[in-house]
Amino acid sequence: MSSSDIFIGETIGTAILILLGGGVCAAVTLKASKARNAGWLAIAFGWGFAVLTAVYTSIPLSGAHLNPAVTLGIAIKDGEWGDVPTYWAGQLLGAMIGAALVWVAYYGQFHAHLTDREIVGGPGAQDVKSVEAREAAAGPVLGIFSTGPEIRMAAQNLATEIIGTVVLVLAVLTQGLNDSGKGLGTLGALITALVVVSIGLSLGGPTGYAINPARDLGPRIVHALLPLPNKGGSDWGYAWVPVVGPLIGGAVAAGIYNVAFA
């Protein structure tokens, strides 16, 4: 795989991942959506199918890492680091593109939701808090773009992300790689999609299971940049958890693999 193939494949694949994954969150969250209040099962399976679609699309070009934690785990497993920056750059760009496409697809719903007084309050409601407080707090549609904890406890939130990512990356390393070992194989795509559904159902409740730094950071940046009315803050105080936690989890999974399976 050339560097250009890796970058293009990861950009396209991660954009599809976030478009469909963020799309199901928008469908469930936004007031004018036909899927409003469809619930956690819809979100968990929506993200699983998003992984499946994205992986099958990008396998021929990049091996379909689509996740910096997966890239890190494979690099530690193989001891090959040369392509890591290319993978990470494509993943972050793709995540941002996917998040922007969710906004385009649900443009009218975003506007209706964020101008509804039942959602954001009456005139002047957004001015009650200080600018600093608004920027720190999670806005009413931030969950469509990125994750956040139900109970804000940094140590637990970090541990939850680490545990979920260990499960994901260990599953990829043990049974999901293609013949060259550089990414997911065809059967591995299905296995990984089902693992993501399982993680969502079993471990997603505390933090919303980012288990992917690009999946969280790229859309969070887009949320901060988009001209959404009454969007509230992007919760940058929490943003390090879904980046650091999955990277630690990917490294731990690779260590477990090298000790127990290699």
Side-chain angles (χ1 to χ4, degrees):
M1 294 179 289
S2 67
S3 294
S4 61
D5 284 343
I6 291 171
F7 182 78
I8 293 170
E10 291 298 292
T11 300
I12 292 172
T14 311
I16 291 172
L17 171 66
I18 302 305
L19 171 61
L20 298 181
V24 72
C25 292
V28 171
T29 301
L30 296 175
K31 190 169 184 179
S33 167
K34 292 182 181 295
R36 167 85 163 167
N37 294 326
W40 192 249
L41 280 175
I43 290 175
F45 278 96
W47 273 103
F49 294 145
V51 169
L52 187 65
T53 306
V55 168
Y56 273 119
T57 301
S58 57
I59 276 176
L61 287 174
S62 65
H65 293 192
L66 311 181
N67 183 340
V70 171
T71 300
L72 179 62
I74 293 175
I76 293 173
K77 167 184 170 288
D78 295 336
E80 298 179 7
W81 296 86
D83 291 326
V84 169
T86 305
Y87 273 101
W88 284 6
Q91 290 155 2
L92 183 60
L93 176 61
M96 294 178 69
I97 292 171
L101 291 175
V102 172
W103 171 63
V104 172
Y106 282 89
Y107 180 84
Q109 281 73 22
F110 273 111
H111 182 78
H113 192 85
L114 290 173
T115 55
D116 190 313
R117 292 189 179 185
E118 292 184 5
I119 303 297
V120 299
Q126 296 299 310
D127 298 326
V128 173
K129 296 180 179 179
S130 66
V131 173
E132 293 79 8
R134 290 203 308 271
E135 290 177 348
V141 296
L142 180 60
I144 294 171
F145 295 90
S146 56
T147 62
E150 288 299 298
I151 297 176
R152 193 171 293 261
M153 296 176 60
Q156 180 205 330
N157 302 149
L158 187 67
T160 300
E161 289 294 331
I162 291 171
I163 293 167
T165 310
V166 168
V167 173
L168 172 63
V169 177
L170 195 58
V172 170
L173 295 178
T174 54
Q175 57 188 332
L177 295 183
N178 57 27
D179 291 339
S180 67
K182 302 301 182 184
L184 286 168
T186 303
L187 179 59
L190 177 59
I191 293 171
T192 302
L194 294 174
V195 170
V196 170
V197 173
S198 178
I199 292 170
L201 294 176
S202 300
L203 301 173
T207 63
Y209 72 116
I211 59 175
N212 181 336
R215 169 264 177 276
D216 195 276
L217 180 59
R220 196 182 296 269
I221 293 172
V222 171
H223 175 271
L225 296 176
L226 282 176
L228 293 166
N230 304 316
K231 67 180 180 181
S234 300
D235 197 7
W236 289 107
Y238 178 76
W240 67 274
V241 172
V243 172
V244 173
L247 289 176
I248 294 174
V252 170
I256 294 172
Y257 180 88
N258 286 338
V259 169
F261 296 94

